[in-house]
Amino acid sequence: MADKKQTKVKRILVANRGEIAVRIIRTCREMGIETVAVYSTADIDNLHVRLADKAVCIGPPPSSKSYLVMQNIIMAALHTHCEAVHPGVGFLSENASFARLVRDNGLIFIGPDPDVIELLGDKVKARQTAAKYGLPVTPGTGAVDSKDPKTIEEAKKLGFPVIIKAAAGGGGKGMRIVRKEEELAENISIASREAESNFADGTVFIEKYLENPRHVELQILADGNGNVAVLGERDCTVQKNHQKLIEESPSPGVTDKMRNAMAAGAVPMFKELKYRGAGTIEFLAEGENFYFMEVNARVQVEHPVSEYVAGVDIIRQQILACTQGKMEIDPNAVKLSGWSIECRINAHTPGTLTRLEIPGGPGVRFDSFLYNGCTVPPHYDSMIAKLIVYDVDRKHALAKMDRALRELVVEGIKTNIERQRWIINHPVFYNGVFGTSWYANIEKEVENGR
């Protein structure tokens, strides 16, 4: 069944939790759209539950018994007379089966068509699609088998080190770096098992491993009718175990020539796919060279930095594109200005907040589900907040971020606030010349606070 189309939806179910659920609910309220929150028993007092117009409990704390149970979410949407479902990030946001189930029940899925999600979710097929539109891809293979002797030969042709990746994966799961030929077969088996466990798909492939590239991504908004807007690029190079820590827009390592070349391949690709909603196309970059990595067919955690530099509410445009087939922005009139930086605030321990002080001032934004006295449960992702700043250039944005991190107080649980301050004040980060291996190389230095 195709998505139900109407001029304006009146009620949306938010199939997520935490800060992204709060973020979506706030924009919906500004648009005059009612919201329904879903929650596990661990999240009964979560801020998104308090802010929504209605809330439905969908199960016990483990996400496998609550936020990942598709039928429970659909029943909640139907029971509360919702017209659309917003999947947020993570959980079911890139699950084609969930998108189909939403549509089959007469609801609008706020995201791309299920077939598009399925195509882009398979990294092997996504690489082939990107290459079709002239985007350079990292040298690599198709799906591989550890028992196939051809696999060794293909890896040798690429040259070690290589990286094994899950075709259906993300977030560092099903990913192994291999530096020696004799370690390849065992690591393929390990990566495949990990991929099967996390994504119910054990398919893996091999790419040439780039030792210290930048991680850069383009923010895309599209209406499914041929209009595709590019809201500049984000730099997500500072990572720990393939998990992003700090993001900024624009990237200090991307030239106008690179930016234009990335967009020149991405725009026709998204047009041809009749892509709808928010999406991100990710690249690895070395010098002036860049290579397609993957597409995230959803809104990204780090979308606020693109909102700042483009002056666009991405969630609002995503909802309009998916419910009305149109956006309020002209793709040819997007103007980028200033510099924005986001620090992810992670909890190292669960617990109850005893004190929360949020920084303010011009160009400071705090996206979170935290409030004084709230409980951070142990069952979910460690990210509890995002601190975002905006200013005229990178130098001023860094000074503002340092000031905002100094003002931010979160007590009752352990966080990475001081570590984030250490990173943004590090001379290498300040100069903007670094790659994805930089943080790993200085982590011991960070731990010791030197």
Side-chain angles (χ1 to χ4, degrees), residues 126-268:
R127 282 165 52 88
Q128 295 168 348
T129 303
K132 174 183 173 183
Y133 292 96
L135 288 170
V137 298
T138 311
T141 71
V144 296
D145 184 336
S146 62
K147 297 178 181 178
D148 187 343
K150 292 181 181 178
T151 298
I152 297 288
E153 294 306 311
E154 288 187 84
K156 287 170 69 174
K157 287 179 183 178
L158 293 174
F160 289 91
V162 298
I163 185 167
I164 304 161
K165 292 183 176 181
K173 302 292 192 300
M175 190 179 291
R176 312 284 292 189
I177 299 167
V178 180
R179 299 185 180 278
K180 298 179 181 178
E181 178 183 332
E182 55 268 27
E183 298 172 353
L184 185 65
E186 180 185 2
N187 278 281
I188 290 175
S189 297
I190 293 171
S192 181
R193 288 196 298 271
E194 191 172 277
E196 178 68 35
S197 173
N198 284 276
F199 313 113
D201 184 347
T203 306
V204 296
F205 66 101
I206 300 173
E207 282 184 349
K208 174 63 181 172
Y209 180 63
L210 304 180
E211 289 282 4
N212 195 33
R214 297 196 84 103
H215 183 145
V216 179
E217 55 192 32
L218 288 185
Q219 174 65 59
I220 305 292
L221 277 170
D223 62 9
N225 296 306
N227 296 302
V228 178
V230 179
L231 307 187
E233 85 282 355
R234 296 186 290 258
D235 194 297
C236 309
T237 301
V238 181
Q239 302 177 11
K240 178 179 180 180
N241 299 326
H242 307 289
Q243 298 291 318
K244 300 167 186 174
L245 292 173
I246 297 175
E247 300 97 354
E248 57 185 309
S249 183
S251 168
V254 171
T255 64
D256 289 342
K257 180 181 177 181
M258 292 170 67
R259 184 178 299 113
N260 293 336
M262 289 174 181
V267 169

